[in-house]
Amino acid sequence: MSTITTIEDFSNEIFYEIFEYLYGNDIYEAFSILNSRFQQLLHCPFLQYKIRLDDRLMKQNIVDELKQISHVIKNYIFSISIRPWRPTTKIISLCNFDSSYQNLHCLIFNINQPNIILLILPKLTQLPKLYSLTIENIQKLKIICKIYPLVLNLSKLKYFKIETCCIDLFADHSLPIATHEQSSSIEHLIIEHYCSVQELVNFLYYTPKVHHLKFSIYEDKKTHLNLLSLNHLRHLTSLSIEMCSLKFDKFEILINQFKFHLKTFSLRIWSRNENYLNARRWERIILQNLPQLEHFSMKYIICFQNDDQSSLHSDKSNEFLTSFWLQRQWLLRIEMIHDFIIYIVDAYKKQWFEYDRQEQKIYSVEELSKSRQLIVVDISKKILNNIHNYMNYVLPVMQIDHLVIKEEIFVVQLAEVLCLLRELDSLEVSMISFSYPRQVTLDEMIKIFRSTTHIKITKLRVRQINKIEEINFFLAFCPLIKQLEINKLPMINVEFFLRPLLIQIRNKSKFQNLRLICIQLPTADDKMILKLKQMIQDENLLVDFKIKRNEEKIFVE
């Protein structure tokens, strides 16, 4: 085989693949002036240029940039993303799109001058292949109501997304009735702003071909949901809804309108209506109205309040553990982040500790029923100071088998949390601190170790350790640990870390339950595996063991 020593020796096919990862304006700037071979390459009909115009990243203004590129490769431009951050009236001339953009399929506008969007949209009707349009960062809701009728005039459009940074949930006429009857070709519709149900239905009347739909609605007391009709949405297979304060009874009436052939349904609801956690009602809705549903996810979000003393769901156990949910592997987990508690129901995902089930795709009912997970995303002072009240939102709903803490946590506070979760089988922590926000005292450490009698944790993952003593603490604090994973070691030799651990196991002085050690190292390679294996054998640290590598992870079993 010949050795390639210069970039010119690469085949055209390799360059085409490289270009897939680059923006078209960067390709043109880098390759157009090299030699005739690359000039020909840039005009290959197979190329589809993705142009990104962002004046934060450019040496010249975006108007001059697009003019220069379009003059040469206009016929090959597949997509254009325009994100000007400096106000300029020249954007209008920049967006002088016409039929000469023969291959332009996708446009993305993030322009904080909303009136300019209204001037640009009528010109887009001249584009022969415009299939995708995204409009972001609209700051005036009054502009939104003028955008929709213009979008309906784009006869080739298949994908349309509109997004606003406004948070006024109850703005009037954010989604108006179209002024003239016509049927849009839109198949994928994403509405990232709140509207009333009636406003939504008004627009959907003109999109009968839509099969992927996402929208955000609020409760409109004037709208009679049982009088709405969406029978024309025969192609709809994927539905995503975000709602604010809509009662579950009304939601049930609404979802009945979308019961045709849904295969994917996701819901994000901000509410304190506990019926959204009524698994039996959900089961009935899905069986009766969504019989073809394959993918289901729900996020039910409530805001924690300081005066909350007991759970909203104190009389509700986890009903998402019946055969209906377990057979579909749709399970409930809970997250805490800032002031919010989020109940999530979605498809089960393989967990980090499932080392012995790497290829398993079908889980037994018993395995799934013990997959109850709590994820603490944000270790705020408010959460820690109110941890007992927060747990009142968790434990009455379900016991916790697996705890994930994604931020550094003080050892005293960790022990307090673990004392509340007596059924815990696995623990994942980012980092543990013995000195922040203060130094842990000897009396506190004695108290912590006296509480280990109820600790049942058998699987531990630590994202990062600063000292080896931290692992010794965990193994002593959780004496039943069978599986240990460390994602980031301090700046020490891996042999220096493993040797004292294995010596204590060999001498039967500590850690007799430990069966698997996993260490993640960016420098892990086959030579390191051989070196570790040689060390274990030469020093007789283990008699019956296996050691292997999977990418950056080293497993000692």
Side-chain angles (χ1 to χ4, degrees):
M1 295 177 63
S2 60
T3 301
I4 296 178
T5 57
T6 63
I7 193 172
E8 283 88 351
D9 291 332
F10 283 152
S11 67
N12 288 353
E13 288 72 23
I14 290 180
F15 279 110
Y16 296 151
E17 190 163 343
I18 292 173
F19 290 168
E20 285 293 316
Y21 295 89
L22 303 175
Y23 285 110
N25 30 330
D26 295 328
I27 297 172
Y28 180 78
E29 181 179 353
F31 292 92
S32 63
I33 58 175
L34 292 183
N35 56 42
S36 59
R37 184 244 176 139
F38 285 107
Q39 289 178 359
Q40 294 178 359
L41 193 67
L42 294 183
H43 289 82
C44 172
F46 298 114
L47 283 180
Q48 293 184 328
Y49 288 99
K50 302 179 290 289
I51 307 298
R52 183 186 185 188
L53 302 175
D54 188 333
D55 54 16
R56 296 174 301 175
L57 309 175
M58 294 180 178
K59 299 176 184 177
Q60 58 183 331
N61 69 64
I62 61 177
V63 177
D64 295 338
E65 179 86 3
L66 184 59
K67 285 182 178 178
Q68 182 178 349
I69 295 172
S70 298
H71 179 70
V72 181
I73 59 171
K74 179 183 288 189
N75 292 343
Y76 308 109
I77 296 178
F78 179 82
S79 69
I80 301 177
S81 173
I82 302 175
R83 302 172 184 272
W85 291 88
R86 292 186 291 268
T88 173
T89 55
K90 292 184 178 180
I91 297 177
I92 300 176
S93 62
L94 163 73
C95 299
N96 189 24
F97 297 109
D98 55 36
S99 58
S100 60
Y101 284 90
Q102 297 177 9
N103 200 41
L104 183 57
H105 285 62
C106 175
L107 276 173
I108 301 173
F109 295 109
N110 190 320
I111 300 175
N112 56 10
Q113 298 168 266
N115 290 322
I116 290 181
I117 288 291
L118 298 180
L119 296 174
I120 293 173
L121 284 175
K123 301 179 181 181
L124 303 186
T125 58
Q126 301 181 51
L127 297 174
K129 294 183 179 180
L130 181 63
Y131 298 139
S132 174
L133 174 63
T134 300
I135 301 175
E136 301 172 340
N137 198 27
I138 298 297
Q139 298 182 359
K140 292 184 180 180
L141 289 173
K142 291 182 179 179
I143 297 296
I144 288 180
C145 68
K146 299 178 181 179
I147 287 177
Y148 284 96
L150 296 174
V151 169
L152 288 172
N153 290 328
L154 303 177
S155 60
K156 302 292 184 181
L157 204 61
K158 302 294 184 184
Y159 176 99
F160 176 55
K161 176 182 178 181
I162 184 166
E163 178 183 309
T164 177
C165 55
C166 300
I167 57 174
D168 183 1
L169 298 184
F170 308 109
D172 291 332
H173 307 301
S174 59
L175 203 60
I177 300 176
T179 55
H180 55 287
E181 291 191 18
Q182 61 186 113
S183 179
S184 170
S185 58
I186 295 173
E187 297 177 357
H188 200 135
L189 176 61
I190 301 176
I191 300 173
E192 296 276 11
H193 66 81
Y194 275 92
C195 59
S196 71
V197 177
Q198 186 62 64
E199 290 167 342
L200 173 72
V201 172
N202 289 342
F203 185 74
L204 291 179
Y205 178 77
Y206 298 97
T207 59
K209 297 179 181 179
V210 67
H211 55 73
H212 280 69
L213 174 62
K214 180 179 181 180
F215 59 83
S216 305
I217 58 170
Y218 59 83
E219 181 174 6
D220 182 5
K221 295 181 180 180
K222 298 178 182 178
T223 302
H224 299 288
L225 295 176
N226 54 349
L227 299 179
L228 298 176
S229 176
L230 293 171
N231 293 329
H232 61 289
L233 299 181
R234 298 293 180 183
H235 303 284
L236 188 64
T237 58
S238 177
L239 178 64
S240 177
I241 306 176
E242 179 167 340
M243 301 188 305
C244 181
S245 302
L246 190 70
K247 293 182 179 179
F248 192 80
D249 293 341
K250 291 190 175 181
F251 163 76
E252 190 170 353
I253 296 173
L254 175 65
I255 198 62
N256 286 343
Q257 304 295 326
F258 294 95
K259 61 186 179 182
F260 310 110
H261 306 289
L262 279 188
K263 294 184 177 180
T264 301
F265 175 57
S266 64
L267 173 68
R268 183 182 178 95
I269 172 70
W270 303 74
S271 175
R272 293 177 76 86
N273 186 321
E274 65 181 60
N275 284 325
Y276 282 97
L277 289 184
N278 189 322
R280 298 190 183 280
R281 286 187 68 174
W282 273 111
E283 181 178 340
R284 177 174 53 79
I285 290 171
I286 293 172
L287 289 176
Q288 291 182 1
N289 300 314
L290 308 172
Q292 300 183 43
L293 197 64
E294 298 174 359
H295 307 284
F296 173 76
S297 67
M298 176 183 69
K299 286 188 176 183
Y300 169 62
I301 307 167
I302 61 174
C303 182
F304 177 81
Q305 299 174 358
N306 287 327
D307 57 351
D308 286 337
Q309 297 297 319
S310 60
S311 167
L312 291 176
H313 319 286
S314 56
D315 59 341
K316 301 285 186 182
S317 60
N318 182 9
E319 297 177 341
F320 291 94
L321 288 177
T322 63
S323 59
F324 172 86
W325 300 98
L326 296 178
Q327 288 171 4
R328 292 163 175 77
Q329 299 189 24
W330 298 339
L331 302 183
L332 172 66
R333 69 179 187 275
I334 301 175
E335 291 188 4
M336 293 180 182
I337 178 169
H338 305 304
D339 295 338
F340 300 101
I341 298 174
I342 309 173
Y343 302 85
I344 303 172
V345 180
D346 62 6
Y348 179 74
K349 300 177 180 63
K350 190 180 293 292
Q351 301 299 315
W352 63 269
F353 49 78
E354 295 180 12
Y355 170 76
D356 57 342
R357 301 200 298 259
Q358 290 298 310
E359 305 300 325
Q360 183 175 346
K361 294 183 180 180
I362 301 176
Y363 296 85
S364 69
V365 170
E366 183 180 3
E367 288 171 332
L368 292 174
S369 64
K370 293 182 179 179
S371 300
R372 300 164 294 188
Q373 188 178 48
L374 171 63
I375 302 173
V376 184
V377 179
D378 173 66
I379 304 293
S380 66
K381 185 177 180 180
K382 182 174 182 179
I383 288 180
L384 293 173
N385 290 341
N386 296 276
I387 190 63
H388 287 274
N389 287 342
Y390 268 88
M391 287 302 172
N392 284 334
Y393 282 87
V394 175
L395 297 178
V397 176
M398 68 178 186
Q399 291 297 315
I400 301 300
D401 302 302
H402 310 292
L403 174 64
V404 178
I405 301 176
K406 293 196 172 184
E407 288 191 348
E408 182 178 10
I409 186 169
F410 186 43
V411 61
V412 176
Q413 294 164 335
L414 175 62
E416 183 181 357
V417 172
L418 296 184
C419 284
L420 297 173
L421 304 175
R422 295 181 176 268
E423 301 299 320
L424 208 60
D425 181 57
S426 79
L427 170 65
E428 176 182 339
V429 295
S430 177
M431 292 175 61
I432 188 172
S433 170
F434 294 86
S435 58
Y436 181 83
R438 58 175 175 80
Q439 189 70 39
V440 63
T441 67
L442 178 59
D443 288 342
E444 287 173 327
M445 290 300 294
I446 293 173
K447 184 179 179 181
I448 287 172
F449 280 106
R450 283 177 178 172
S451 67
T452 59
T453 54
H454 75 274
I455 299 294
K456 301 177 182 178
I457 296 171
T458 63
K459 307 171 188 73
L460 171 67
R461 174 195 251 180
V462 185
R463 289 287 186 180
Q464 180 176 342
I465 63 170
N466 296 315
K467 299 178 181 179
I468 295 194
E469 290 75 17
E470 295 173 13
I471 291 301
N472 291 331
F473 162 78
F474 274 117
L475 292 174
F477 180 55
C478 307
L480 301 180
I481 284 181
K482 297 179 180 179
Q483 187 172 329
L484 171 65
E485 179 173 325
I486 303 166
N487 290 143
K488 187 175 181 181
L489 282 174
M491 299 298 291
I492 60 172
N493 189 290
V494 65
E495 296 100 307
F496 181 74
F497 170 77
L498 270 179
R499 182 179 286 109
L501 199 60
L502 297 180
I503 287 175
Q504 294 185 78
I505 295 175
R506 180 193 64 186
N507 295 340
K508 298 185 178 180
S509 58
K510 290 182 180 178
F511 321 137
Q512 288 305 294
N513 291 298
L514 196 57
R515 292 293 177 265
L516 177 68
I517 302 172
C518 174
I519 303 172
Q520 184 169 338
L521 290 173
T523 57
D525 56 18
D526 292 338
K527 290 182 179 180
M528 183 178 290
I529 297 298
L530 292 173
K531 188 176 181 181
L532 290 173
K533 184 176 182 180
Q534 194 69 42
M535 179 194 77
I536 295 172
Q537 291 175 335
D538 290 348
E539 300 180 24
N540 197 27
L541 297 176
L542 295 172
V543 177
D544 184 13
F545 74 96
K546 296 178 183 178
I547 184 169
K548 69 176 185 178
R549 178 178 68 89
N550 186 354
E551 297 181 348
E552 294 184 351
K553 289 188 175 182
I554 299 172
F555 296 90
V556 181
E557 187 177 358

